[in-house]
Amino acid sequence: MLDKNITKELKKLTKRIDSSFYFYDLDKLEDHLRYIVENKDESIKLYYACKANPLSSILKLIRNLGIGIDVASKGELTQVVASGVKSSDIISTGPSKSRGYIRTLLEHEINCVVVESIYQLKWLNEQASEMGIKARALLRVQLEWDSKEKSVLGGDDITAFGLDEKGWKSLDLSEYENVEVIGYHVFQWGNILSASKLEEIWDHTCARINKLAQDMGVRPQVIDLGGGLGIPYQNESERIDFKDINAALVRLKKKHKLEKIWMELGRYAVGECGLYLSQVIDRKNVRGQEILVLDGGINHIARAALTNQAFPCEVLEECESKQNQEFHVHGPLCTSLDKLGVFDLPKDCDYGNWLVFTQCGAYGFTESMPFFLCHNLPAEVVKYKGDIMIPRTIKTSADWIE
Ligand SMILES: *Cc1c(COP(=O)(O)O)cnc(C)c1O
């Protein structure tokens, strides 16, 4: 349920913008992140995986709390630098790093490059050598797991992230004189809602990494455990308290004699601060199914189609009916993929009502497919210290189509 004051602001915004939009509550975000930072052991360094949401006002807020940023493309690097993040607070992950991009990362003097292939290591060494510097690197490792569960990061599936242990062990690191390997990076399990399950994954990870480091003659100063902390999309009682994560990490640090643990939070950092609002354009019954068609769909928020997991949804306005019924909610695109979920909503919900989707702060707009069918791009609205601002107004296809 939305807070009454927020509902009032949102109703005003629907009149003012009159097209689908995102709303980020940066006061809520700041409280949440401050809680994390205040309950974190000194040996843990947090980064923010900015692919979750690269909006500049979010990056600036994160910067001000002393959290670093993980970038995975030149575009993200440009955005993060433009948002005033210090180079020493930037790391770079990602399977696609060309020689030129690696050069750019070094020229920006970022803290550390997470190396994901032998070419990346070669090019990092070559470019650092040309520049007469020593580049700091983590080696990204893709472990094999007994569990056959799936994950957005691959889980036990073979993916393009990093190299297996055998691949790294086949190298002689002394040949890469201009690279200082400061540790390892492992991240294969996403959106996990249990601190004890995460601890189990990390425990196994740390044991395997220590073994690998020993075999390679590396003394790891850093183990980066990636992200993967989930937020509830269905059941609100499944919520991770960062204090439990911190306690688990402190236990693991002691057990595996680790110096520093790094993580890049994505969804857990920003997911709960965001809403997506879209107006109901049409309602009909087709072959026994109640259908609502919205102004926006996967052109604004694709995650439901990509992961088969809906964002929670409610009606913005008070409806007269106190009874709910099942609605299949579709977007405007001419493809059956454009479906945001099946929801219990008041029986009299109809065209003109606005639907509010919650938990949309992460993997929202920038993960969507905005150009298909030339609809409007959504606006992005922020609330900070009580003020409402619209850093990005809607764009129509005339703004981008040739
Ligand atoms: C996306 C990503 C994250 C964040 O993932 P969440 O599931 O949002 O926590 C962390 N690390 C890397 C390398 C990533 O690519």
Side-chain angles (χ1 to χ4, degrees):
M1 278 295 281
L2 293 169
D3 166 292
K4 273 212 179 73
N5 290 329
I6 299 270
T7 303
K8 210 169 120 200
E9 291 297 349
L10 293 174
K11 281 183 184 162
K12 275 197 240 164
L13 282 162
T14 58
K15 305 228 158 48
R16 199 166 141 199
I17 301 174
D18 197 33
S19 191
S20 307
F21 63 96
Y22 278 92
F23 178 88
Y24 308 115
D25 186 342
L26 300 190
D27 295 315
K28 180 175 173 178
L29 177 65
E30 190 164 39
D31 289 346
H32 172 60
L33 294 176
R34 189 160 278 139
Y35 180 83
I36 293 175
V37 169
E38 283 172 1
N39 287 288
K40 177 185 80 58
D41 189 75
E42 269 180 18
S43 62
I44 302 163
K45 168 78 186 174
L46 293 180
Y47 293 86
Y48 167 58
C50 80
K51 74 170 188 285
N53 191 331
L55 190 75
S56 58
S57 41
I58 289 181
L59 296 179
K60 287 173 192 166
L61 197 151
I62 287 172
R63 172 200 72 187
N64 291 348
L65 289 166
I67 299 173
I69 312 268
D70 167 40
V71 301
S73 72
K74 218 169 190 166
E76 286 187 355
L77 176 68
T78 306
Q79 174 73 346
V80 164
V81 170
S83 301
V85 178
K86 290 198 298 277
S87 52
S88 60
D89 262 339
I90 303 174
I91 62 171
S92 158
T93 61
S96 172
K97 298 190 197 79
S98 67
R99 182 188 255 134
Y101 176 46
I102 287 174
R103 175 78 181 204
T104 306
L105 291 169
L106 291 179
E107 284 169 351
H108 277 88
E109 300 177 0
I110 70 163
N111 182 353
C112 181
V113 177
V114 179
V115 172
E116 307 217 9
S117 71
I118 294 174
Y119 276 125
Q120 286 189 13
L121 184 61
K122 277 190 178 158
W123 294 333
L124 186 64
N125 187 61
E126 168 200 291
Q127 296 302 311
S129 155
E130 272 182 25
M131 292 169 69
I133 59 168
K134 197 143 180 166
R136 283 152 54 88
L138 296 179
L139 305 181
R140 185 162 183 179
V141 185
Q142 192 178 127
L143 298 173
E144 208 172 301
W145 299 81
D146 292 334
S147 163
K148 291 292 164 214
E149 280 175 59
K150 295 275 176 227
S151 160
V152 274
L153 272 305
D156 191 50
D157 282 352
I158 298 173
T159 65
F161 305 120
L163 274 187
D164 56 25
E165 292 142 297
K166 195 164 129 252
W168 288 127
K169 274 197 280 197
S170 71
L171 298 178
D172 177 0
L173 289 183
S174 66
E175 288 171 14
Y176 303 87
E177 279 190 332
N178 290 75
V179 176
E180 181 192 4
V181 174
I182 61 166
Y184 295 86
H185 181 292
V186 180
F187 178 36
Q188 287 164 270
W189 298 92
N191 198 20
I192 290 174
L193 279 158
S194 144
S196 59
K197 173 116 190 254
L198 284 163
E199 185 169 2
E200 229 174 90
I201 291 170
W202 294 335
D203 187 23
H204 179 75
T205 300
C206 293
R208 295 277 290 269
I209 291 301
N210 273 345
K211 170 84 175 61
L212 174 64
Q214 199 177 26
D215 291 349
M216 292 177 70
V218 171
R219 215 180 60 80
Q221 302 160 38
V222 173
I223 288 191
D224 185 331
L225 297 168
L229 281 66
I231 58 171
Y233 290 102
Q234 269 129 23
N235 182 358
E236 286 287 310
S237 68
E238 291 179 315
R239 185 178 295 278
I240 293 182
D241 186 331
F242 192 78
K243 281 185 182 162
D244 296 333
I245 296 295
N246 186 65
L249 292 173
V250 169
R251 277 193 292 276
L252 292 171
K253 182 185 156 222
K254 199 163 166 215
K255 177 172 174 189
H256 297 283
K257 300 189 169 57
L258 311 175
E259 276 181 43
K260 272 251 165 205
I261 297 174
W262 288 3
M263 294 184 81
E264 313 97 35
L265 304 181
R267 185 190 322 273
Y268 186 73
V270 299
E272 301 204 79
C273 82
L275 308 172
Y276 169 68
L277 287 92
S278 193
Q279 194 172 27
V280 179
I281 299 295
D282 205 345
R283 171 177 173 167
K284 57 190 166 183
N285 187 294
V286 181
R287 295 159 62 197
Q289 245 179 42
E290 276 306 316
I291 290 180
L292 297 177
V293 183
L294 303 186
D295 167 63
I298 62 173
N299 51 327
H300 295 171
I301 187 155
R303 190 175 169 272
L306 299 175
T307 63
N308 241 329
Q309 186 175 43
F311 289 97
C313 173
E314 56 196 273
V315 181
L316 178 64
E317 298 85 4
E318 287 267 329
C319 289
E320 276 185 19
S321 176
K322 296 299 162 218
Q323 269 191 329
N324 280 4
Q325 75 173 60
E326 186 180 276
F327 287 96
H328 291 248
V329 175
H330 293 259
L333 304 185
C334 302
T335 159
S336 58
L337 285 175
D338 194 5
K339 183 166 184 180
L340 298 184
V342 182
F343 305 99
D344 271 339
L345 300 170
K347 271 187 136 152
D348 56 345
C349 171
D350 212 326
Y351 77 86
N353 280 128
W354 283 74
L355 299 191
V356 185
F357 295 85
T358 56
Q359 310 293 70
C360 296
Y363 308 118
F365 175 56
T366 60
E367 199 187 72
S368 68
M369 43 188 293
F371 304 122
F372 197 35
L373 268 92
C374 301
H375 287 284
N376 283 353
L377 269 54
E380 288 185 294
V381 181
V382 301
K383 174 174 90 63
Y384 190 47
K385 305 214 186 281
D387 289 327
I388 304 282
M389 294 164 272
I390 309 187
R392 213 167 58 82
T393 55
I394 60 160
K395 294 203 182 332
T396 70
S397 59
D399 291 319
W400 53 267
I401 204 164
E402 289 297 325

